[in-house]
Amino acid sequence: MWWREAVFYEVYMRSWQDSDGDGVGDLEGVTRRLDHLSQTLGVDAVWLTPFYPSPMKDFGYDISDHTAVDPLFGDLPAFDRLVAQAHRRGLRVIVDFVPNHTADRHPWFLQSRSSRTDPKRDWYVWADPASDGSPPNNWIAAFGGPTWTFDAITGQYYRHSFLSEMPDLNWRNPAVKAAMFDVLRFWLDRGVDGFRIDAAQYPMKDPEMRDNPPNRGEVKLHRPLGEFDTQIHVHDMAHPDIHGMYEELRAVLDSYAGDRVAIGEIHIFDWAQWVAYYGGGAQELHMVFNFGLLGVRWNAQAIVDLVREIEAVLPEHAWPNWVLGNHDEPRVATRLGPELARIALMLQLTLRGSPTLFYGDELCLPAARVAPDEIVDPWGSQSPDLSRDPARSPMPWTAAKDGGFCPPGIKPWLPLVPGSDRLCVAAQEEDPSSFLSLTKQLLAVRRGSAALRSGDYDSLAAIDDCVVFERRAGNDRRIVVLNLTNEARQVELAALDNARIEISTTGARRDEGLGGLLMLSRWEGCVIRPPR
């Protein structure tokens, strides 16, 4: 099971590399920059966000054809070349699977809305108005507003968990399930190594469509989500029937050779509910994204408590993972600041489990400055403070005005981050103290240590405001000590005697023969190699 030791890397398609001069990243651009992943960083798998034909109301997550490539990104031969080149470099390729909805321009939906008697009518969820003509229930869409839109053509409402242009598929219809599983097979046959499943808790909802109760502060997610926060979402997602759906999806992947992997995007912070998506006895998803680090208080005890909670609920067959950001979340460098971001990276790459890096986080990219009249995110257009655009700025490869993202004279689809000439790949490659250099060193240390790749915890504790843990696999051991404060700290551990520091977040520190006392500067983390 290759994914148990893998480091995943998310490429946001629109922002990685523009190869054809339209200001938007594309498949050929990804292929041209694969060496950054395989050689510069040495990650194991690349996750590509949607590149399928789409009206782009939500930048590709509104799909109008599941088995083709949008001309904006290239074509199927370009995708096949990318997969071949990635595999040649030892990189696995993960693509997005979006089960909850399609675009409203998808041929399935065009047929569904054409008539109440159309054979595809039941491929989506339709309902009569309430007695006063209002929507069938009180559900609120993720981006705000009702989950229902009235369709004058047939006099009913259709359901959409996100934008009105993204109608929900009816997974209770066996024909829908069969068609969507055929989508999986199409891409598996083209050589993909697995899927990141978008909004994975959404496809199955309460068949009785009962109202959600109000949220009076009982439930809080990792950050405010506007109007969506006003309800407790017990009926409009995560119905228990979803587990049977994922058991069937898992069977599709298991029918292919090569350990194809399914990773679910599950924004659930009740860990007992979250872990249910692994299934009993490895029956459902291989991994479920763990977003705990996005909302945790960054102090030693809170982080130790979080790790213990995650480990306590995981059954023996389940493998953990850790996420610090993605295309929907504010940049970690902006959330935590550049010094603490170094600590966060060391934590993510040394905890037990498979980490997923977000493009640009190896450069410590901050949020981009996107003026109100430059906002293109549909969520941000409704609520500017919730815009995801600042986290999606183009990757700066060089110190050029366009960051080497697109050809000279072409305007990128979003502005680059401030200081991109200093933060770009080319500049950081020349600086041994850069964030990119730290990322490369940490990944190399991880690759060279069985303890960090697959070992268990020997100990885990909060000591004097520091996170301290030991990982072990056979005779291979690593001790990780992270000072999460802006003051110097000292940690006394018998296990440190005659150990050496393999890597520090503050520089290439190599202390031979440590005594039982480790001195840490402010915001410093160390990976320590005990004597064998």
Side-chain angles (χ1 to χ4, degrees), residues 48 60 209 217 221 238 240 245 250 268 301 304 324 328 331 396 399 426 430 445 510 517 519-520 525:
L48 306 175
M209 298 194 303
L221 295 179
M245 167 192 158
R250 173 68 175 266
I268 294 176
Q301 192 60 60
V304 166
L324 284 172
D328 289 327
R331 284 278 183 185
E430 300 299 320
V445 167
R510 295 289 188 274
L517 190 66
M519 304 298 295
L520 292 168

Side-chain angles (χ1 to χ4, degrees), residues 250-271:
R250 173 68 175 266
V252 174
L253 270 66
D254 286 350
S255 69
Y256 283 76
D259 287 330
R260 313 298 176 97
V261 65
I263 308 170
E265 180 200 22
I266 305 285
H267 282 282
I268 294 176
F269 295 88
D270 179 318
W271 302 117

Side-chain angles (χ1 to χ4, degrees), residues 166-422:
M166 299 159 69
D168 286 359
L169 284 165
N170 177 15
W171 273 82
R172 298 186 184 281
N173 183 333
V176 170
K177 182 166 57 178
M180 292 298 284
F181 286 170
D182 281 345
V183 170
L184 295 175
R185 295 184 182 97
F186 178 88
W187 295 106
L188 289 166
D189 290 341
R190 299 195 92 88
V192 305
D193 299 286
F195 301 90
R196 176 265 188 184
I197 302 175
D198 178 68
Q201 75 266 41
Y202 274 90
M204 285 294 187
K205 303 171 177 65
D206 177 21
E208 298 179 29
M209 298 194 303
R210 289 168 287 186
D211 282 355
N212 282 328
N215 182 12
R216 298 184 175 91
E218 300 97 327
V219 176
K220 293 182 180 179
L221 295 179
H222 59 293
R223 63 185 176 95
L225 298 177
E227 188 182 3
F228 189 76
D229 290 336
T230 64
Q231 293 183 351
I232 300 176
H233 295 273
V234 293
H235 296 310
D236 56 351
M237 65 178 75
H239 188 274
D241 289 348
I242 202 164
H243 298 294
M245 167 192 158
Y246 284 130
E247 287 179 6
E248 294 183 66
L249 183 148
R250 173 68 175 266
V252 174
L253 270 66
D254 286 350
S255 69
Y256 283 76
D259 287 330
R260 313 298 176 97
V261 65
I263 308 170
E265 180 200 22
I266 305 285
H267 282 282
I268 294 176
F269 295 88
D270 179 318
W271 302 117
Q273 294 182 30
W274 168 82
V275 78
Y277 287 83
Y278 282 93
Q283 295 173 339
E284 293 186 41
L285 303 179
H286 297 83
M287 286 194 295
V288 184
F289 273 143
N290 164 18
F291 296 106
L293 289 176
L294 272 66
V296 71
R297 290 176 293 113
W298 277 84
N299 65 62
Q301 192 60 60
I303 287 174
V304 166
D305 289 345
L306 171 66
V307 177
R308 286 174 174 165
E309 288 173 17
I310 296 297
E311 289 290 334
V313 300
L314 287 170
E316 185 176 350
H317 71 269
W319 186 243
N321 67 89
W322 297 94
V323 174
L324 284 172
N326 63 25
H327 61 277
D328 289 327
E329 303 295 339
R331 284 278 183 185
V332 63
T334 298
R335 296 199 319 265
L336 302 181
E339 291 177 310
L340 192 49
R342 286 176 172 260
I343 296 287
L345 179 69
M346 180 172 278
L347 177 71
Q348 183 188 21
L349 293 180
T350 56
L351 287 172
R352 192 178 84 100
S354 298
T356 298
L357 303 176
F358 181 45
Y359 86 97
D361 278 355
E362 74 272 31
L363 306 176
C364 201
L365 291 188
R369 296 170 184 164
V370 182
D373 60 351
E374 294 177 307
I375 291 175
V376 293
D377 175 27
W379 200 358
S381 297
Q382 298 180 44
S383 304
D385 58 324
L386 297 177
S387 176
R388 299 165 294 177
D389 289 339
R392 300 175 174 184
S393 58
M395 182 77 165
W397 298 100
T398 71
K401 181 181 178 181
D402 53 42
F405 165 73
C406 53
I410 301 299
K411 182 180 180 181
W413 77 288
L414 280 174
L416 274 70
V417 300
S420 60
D421 57 330
R422 294 178 289 100

